[in-house]
């Protein structure tokens, strides 16, 4: 039996008995209600749960969207256009490479007159740091640097995050090592995380890497001035930074930072030179202008006034 | 807006009949034309619905009249909510339940009462009588209502769900299950429809 036949049968029977009550109900007297009674009560639609919250969300949604967009845009800008690390290359010409969070170069800065012809013509904007390094090292070769077997190159990486600095330093050292592997060059590397080095480097007009080494050399050889130290070739500066003075006075006192924090790169490869925090007081801007620490005065106690070394 | 189908013998011709909520508002202002339009639109499905509840044509007719009177008396209080038919069906259902309670009658009628009903005193085909009798006696209330509304006026399941405030899946489920059950019952009774 088909369903359509059943439905037709039901329709026929109900239509047969559906009464026509129009005349009765149309003309019957009706008293208008003042309010709904229990029979005619109209159901009140139930408000959906979370309506207030949804309304609040909809009201503030544009604000949240704009704030989120601003955070994303600012975060993107921060990552792409802000210098996250500074790489220093020192041979004799000193070059500074500023890179962003994604290891792309933002700026290539010659720090002395010798460096200007080296960086000239090198495209670097938003290019991977490895590519720029190859171009810089190649340009150094082209201009006659790094050909001397006695020459050395200092790689310095500055970043507040030590892990990032170490990662980038290793990356740069590997790249530089590959490029100059034919010649037995000396590659020194270090990470820098002190703002004081930056200030002192700007004062002396040298790279931060050289300034950091000069700090170490001055620690071992306090009778040398910073002005003389920063002018030394990298290899000699390294020698002074690595080996402390033969002066029996200093040997008797002992090295203030221990014997093991400097490593001979020629024996163990690239090493890190850690900037002693104790030096911070020596390079405040006020002291640098008139401080006698730059004078060749053997009697001067450059450790300041605590008389630690005067006994 | 509700669409009803106009079923004619043998073929199903759907005819869209607009049921505007404004009709209720006009009836509240004693607009007889609006009332007539409403009556012509809903009389058949409304009676079918009441019949599915009370299972008795006499009671169904009384409740049908009373429903119209209630509509006229309360139309001016009606607040548009997009479901005017649901309001009318609610009135009809409340009146039906009140009637059943007054009569202290079980909704399941016995065969004797049904046979004495006016429904079966007409010149209706005996097979059609058996089908309707089986529907009213053996089906559950919701199944009766849904099948009757769909069969008599061709109301779409979606509109039935809206008018009875039942979820659409429930309407579809009860309709199909009820129709299958009805067919099995009719086949057991060896009812043959032309």
């Amino acid at each position: 039996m088909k369903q359509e036949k059943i439905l037709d049968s039901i329709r026929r029977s109900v239509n047969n008995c559906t009464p026509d009550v129009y005349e009765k109900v149309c003309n019957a007297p009706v008293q208008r209600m003042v309010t709904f009674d229990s029979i005619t009560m109209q159901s009140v639609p139930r408000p959906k749960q979370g309506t207030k919250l949804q309304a609040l969300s909809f009201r503030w949604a544009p604000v949240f969207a704009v704030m989120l967009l601003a955070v994303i845009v600012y975060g993107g800008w921060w990552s792409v256009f802000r210098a996250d690390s500074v790489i220093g290359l020192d041979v004799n010409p000193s070059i500074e490479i500023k890179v962003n969070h994604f290891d792309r170069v933002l700026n290539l800065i010659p720090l002395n007159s010798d460096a200007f012809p080296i960086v000239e013509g090198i495209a670097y904007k938003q290019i991977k740091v490895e590519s720029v390094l190859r171009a810089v090292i190649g340009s150094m070769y082209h201009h006659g640097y790094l050909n001397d077997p006695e020459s050395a190159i200092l790689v310095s990486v500055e970043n507040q995050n030590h892990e990032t600095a170490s990662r980038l330093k290793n990356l740069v050292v590997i790249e530089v090592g590959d490029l100059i592997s034919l010649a037995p060059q000396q590659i020194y590397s270090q990470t820098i995380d002190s703002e004081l080095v930056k200030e002192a480097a700007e004062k002396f007009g040298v790279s931060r890497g050289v300034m950091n080494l000069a700090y170490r050399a001055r620690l071992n050889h306090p009778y040398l001035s910073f002005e003389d130290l920063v002018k030394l070739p990298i290899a000699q500066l390294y020698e002074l930074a690595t080996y402390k003075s033969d002066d029996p006075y200093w040997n008797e006192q002992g090295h203030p930072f221990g014997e093991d924090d400097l490593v001979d790169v020629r024996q163990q490869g690239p090493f890190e030179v850690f900037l002693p925090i104790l030096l911070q007081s020596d390079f405040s801007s006020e002291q640098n202008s008139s401080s006698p620490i730059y004078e060749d005065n053997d009697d001067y106690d450059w450790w300041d006034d605590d008389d630690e070394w005067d006994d | 807006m509700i669409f009803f189908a106009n079923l004619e013998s043998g073929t199903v011709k759907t005819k869209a009949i607009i049921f505007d909520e404004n009709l209720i508002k006009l009836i509240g202002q004693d607009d007889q034309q609006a009332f007539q339009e409403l009556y012509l639109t809903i009389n058949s499905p409304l009676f079918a619905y009441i019949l599915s509840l009370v299972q008795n044509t006499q009671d169904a007719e009384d409740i049908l009249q009373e429903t119209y009177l209630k509509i006229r008396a309360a139309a001016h209080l009606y607040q548009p909510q997009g479901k005017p038919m649901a309001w009318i069906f609610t009135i009809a259902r409340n009146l039906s339940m009140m009637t059943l309670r007054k009569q202290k009658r079980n909704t399941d009628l016995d065969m004797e009462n049904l046979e004495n009903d006016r429904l079966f005193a007409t010149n209706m085909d005996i097979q059609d009588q058996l089908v309707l009798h089986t529907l009213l006696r053996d089906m559950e209330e919701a199944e009766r209502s849904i099948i009757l509304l769909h069969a008599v006026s061709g109301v779409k399941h979606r509109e039935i769900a809206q008018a009875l405030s039942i979820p659409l899946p429930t309407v579809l489920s009860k309709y199909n299950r009820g129709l299958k059950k009805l067919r099995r019952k009719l086949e057991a009774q060896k009812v043959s429809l032309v």
Side-chain angles (χ1 to χ4, degrees), chain A:
Chain A
M1 187 184 298
K2 289 186 177 180
Q3 290 186 353
E4 287 75 16
K5 287 186 177 179
I6 297 173
L7 294 174
D8 281 346
S9 171
I10 294 169
R11 178 183 52 80
R12 279 195 302 270
S13 32
V14 174
N15 282 345
N16 266 340
C17 63
T18 300
D20 185 2
V21 295
Y22 179 74
E23 291 300 327
K24 293 179 185 173
V25 297
C26 183
N27 298 319
V30 170
Q31 188 172 2
R32 290 161 70 99
M33 293 180 182
V34 178
T35 57
F36 282 127
D37 59 11
S38 59
I39 301 295
T40 57
M41 183 65 71
Q42 196 175 357
S43 62
V44 179
R46 207 177 349 171
K48 290 180 181 176
Q49 286 185 345
T51 300
K52 286 183 179 177
L53 184 63
Q54 284 175 355
L56 195 66
S57 303
F58 284 131
R59 188 180 303 167
W60 289 98
V63 177
F64 290 142
V66 169
M67 287 173 66
L68 185 64
L69 188 65
V71 168
I72 291 170
V73 168
Y74 183 71
W77 176 88
W78 189 259
S79 301
V80 174
F81 296 108
R82 175 186 164 268
D84 186 53
S85 305
V86 179
I87 299 168
L89 293 178
D90 292 286
V91 181
N92 174 16
S94 296
I95 294 165
E96 201 170 79
I97 304 171
K98 291 186 176 178
V99 298
N100 66 10
H101 180 71
F102 304 105
D103 293 348
R104 292 195 174 268
V105 177
L106 299 174
N107 209 352
L108 184 63
I109 306 166
L111 295 178
N112 51 27
S113 57
D114 293 338
F116 276 93
I118 291 173
V119 301
E120 193 176 345
I122 295 177
Y124 59 85
K125 284 283 185 186
Q126 295 293 339
I127 294 174
K128 290 292 280 184
V129 66
E130 298 95 316
S131 303
V132 175
L133 275 173
R134 287 187 209 112
V136 170
I137 299 295
S139 182
M140 281 183 176
Y141 269 115
H142 180 71
H143 286 87
Y145 300 100
L146 297 171
N147 295 321
D148 184 355
E150 296 298 321
S151 62
I153 185 167
L154 173 65
V155 175
S156 311
V157 176
E158 182 178 340
N159 192 299
Q160 296 299 316
N161 186 316
H162 189 69
E163 287 183 7
T164 305
S166 296
R167 179 190 61 78
L168 197 56
K169 182 199 71 179
N170 292 335
L171 185 149
V172 174
V173 166
I174 290 169
E175 281 294 323
V176 172
D178 288 345
L179 289 167
I180 61 175
S181 58
L182 294 177
Q185 305 297 339
Q186 295 169 342
I187 306 170
Y188 310 133
S189 66
Q190 60 182 349
T191 56
I192 306 171
D193 58 2
S194 172
E195 283 293 312
L196 289 172
V197 174
K198 181 183 174 185
E199 292 175 14
E202 287 172 357
K203 181 171 183 62
F204 286 98
V206 296
S207 71
R208 302 171 198 188
V210 168
M211 196 68 234
N212 202 42
L213 276 186
Y215 268 119
R216 303 301 310 188
R218 182 65 193 275
L219 274 177
N220 291 336
H221 310 279
Y223 47 87
L224 295 174
S225 71
F226 280 107
E227 287 167 327
D228 290 335
L229 286 170
V230 297
K231 290 173 185 170
L232 291 173
I234 295 298
Q236 289 183 25
L237 184 59
Y238 169 78
E239 292 283 348
L240 294 171
T242 309
Y243 299 106
K244 64 181 181 180
S245 170
D246 291 333
D247 189 327
Y249 172 80
W250 295 101
N251 289 333
E252 286 171 11
Q253 299 300 322
H255 197 285
F257 307 108
E259 300 287 346
D260 301 328
D261 59 343
L262 292 178
V263 180
D264 189 346
V265 71
R266 291 168 295 188
Q267 295 172 357
Q268 300 190 15
F271 71 100
E272 293 186 12
V273 178
F274 298 102
L275 175 67
I277 299 171
L278 290 173
L279 284 175
Q280 290 182 3
S281 60
D282 288 321
F283 285 89
S284 62
S285 55
E286 292 79 10
Q287 283 181 319
N288 284 342
S289 59
S290 59
S291 172
I293 65 170
Y294 306 115
E295 297 175 2
D296 294 332
N297 183 355
D298 288 346
D299 297 331
Y300 180 72
D301 176 18
W302 68 282
W303 291 108
D304 214 327
D305 300 326
D306 57 5
D307 294 330
E308 184 181 352
W309 304 94
D310 290 344
D311 296 335

Side-chain angles (χ1 to χ4, degrees), chain B residues 1 69 99 123:
Chain B
M1 187 189 303
L69 295 178
T99 300
N123 294 327

